[in-house]
Amino acid sequence: MFMETNMKSNCYYIKTFIYRYPNPLYAEINDFDSYFKSLDKDCRRDYKRSYKVKKIDKITSKLHKDILSIYGSKPTRQGREINYQYLHHTGEKMDIREGWPHTYGKQCPKHYFDFYGCFDKSTLVAFLELLHSNKLTIVYSTMGHADYLKKGVMRRLFIEAIRQSGAKYLVYGDESYKPEIKYFLNDLKINQVDPLFIYELSDPC
């Protein structure tokens, strides 16, 4: 999670991550207002929830503890066990940094990271890290606290991050994802498949 990145590695991540899935799923957004109107009433309702979503440039010790709490709130994610140290951490052996990967080093103008947090009052309850590649916006990592997953927090986070980032083509996973994840992606219109189109848009260095 705390891997240091720079201009070279950001571009490297694009080359490796964009080819990670044979059939990547994406949403073509065009303009946010039209996209929002195309969402069903449940998504639009969750978007109006009171959670605050904002872009984060520095990870403080408080935010780091909240992130660990999110990791440890559920023993498995998408059928995979969470790393043991996140479930039983004391804080003493964890690498607490003031920054997050995308804040380190120089950013390539075409390839850069953004990190968005969703807050319940002052507590981070979900996060979304986006990797931008030319016209593409790729979901690099995301997770929500288990206590909030049925309270619309992830819909609120994704939709508002799309608005704030100005994403035009949002890529997340591929057709091999489990049904419960694909339901969420379908809700957000992340369900189009055209690998060649996506690869051409990514424009790796």
Side-chain angles (χ1 to χ4, degrees):
M1 181 192 301
F2 296 97
M3 185 179 297
E4 193 167 308
T5 64
N6 51 40
M7 183 183 293
K8 180 179 178 181
S9 60
N10 286 353
C11 301
Y12 170 77
Y13 285 141
I14 287 296
K15 292 179 180 179
T16 57
F17 202 72
I18 195 64
Y19 297 113
R20 181 178 180 180
Y21 302 107
N23 295 297
L25 296 171
Y26 74 96
E28 184 175 355
I29 296 164
N30 292 317
D31 69 275
F32 179 79
D33 289 341
S34 297
Y35 168 73
F36 185 74
K37 290 177 182 177
S38 73
L39 301 176
D40 65 29
K41 63 180 181 180
D42 291 335
C43 285
R44 297 196 301 270
R45 176 203 63 208
D46 286 341
Y47 177 71
K48 296 178 181 178
R49 292 181 184 270
S50 60
Y51 306 120
K52 183 177 181 179
V53 176
K54 63 179 181 179
K55 182 179 174 182
I56 298 172
D57 293 320
K58 289 291 182 181
I59 301 298
T60 63
S61 294
K62 168 64 168 62
L63 287 175
H64 182 258
K65 290 178 181 178
D66 288 344
I67 291 169
L68 290 179
S69 178
I70 291 170
Y71 268 91
S73 67
K74 198 174 181 183
T76 61
R77 300 278 180 166
Q78 299 182 33
R80 298 190 299 270
E81 291 186 0
I82 295 295
N83 188 316
Y84 181 84
Q85 68 174 340
Y86 292 127
L87 298 178
H88 301 278
H89 68 88
T90 64
E92 295 178 359
K93 296 183 179 180
M94 302 304 296
D95 183 9
I96 299 178
R97 296 174 182 260
E98 292 183 354
W100 196 254
H102 69 272
T103 69
Y104 284 91
K106 296 180 180 179
Q107 296 278 18
C108 172
K110 292 192 300 183
H111 307 137
Y112 58 95
F113 288 92
D114 278 334
F115 188 87
Y116 290 87
C118 190
F119 294 81
D120 182 4
K121 297 180 181 178
S122 63
T123 301
L124 181 75
V125 295
F127 64 83
L128 171 62
E129 189 172 18
L130 300 176
L131 177 55
H132 300 279
S133 175
N134 196 28
K135 295 182 180 179
L136 287 183
T137 301
I138 305 165
V139 175
Y140 190 75
S141 66
T142 186
M143 191 173 291
H145 196 288
D147 293 346
Y148 289 82
L149 294 180
K150 294 184 178 180
K151 300 179 181 179
V153 68
M154 299 308 289
R155 286 173 172 170
R156 167 68 178 150
L157 171 60
F158 267 70
I159 297 170
E160 179 59 10
I162 287 171
R163 188 190 71 80
Q164 291 187 25
S165 68
K168 300 301 180 185
Y169 298 93
L170 183 70
V171 179
Y172 187 9
D174 77 350
E175 288 191 310
S176 68
Y177 269 25
K178 293 187 176 183
E180 59 268 28
I181 302 300
K182 292 184 73 174
Y183 291 146
F184 172 75
L185 298 182
N186 280 327
D187 287 344
L188 297 177
K189 307 299 182 182
I190 307 174
N191 51 20
Q192 299 186 60
V193 180
D194 188 341
L196 182 59
F197 175 69
I198 293 300
Y199 300 150
E200 289 176 345
L201 274 183
S202 67
D203 190 23
C205 290

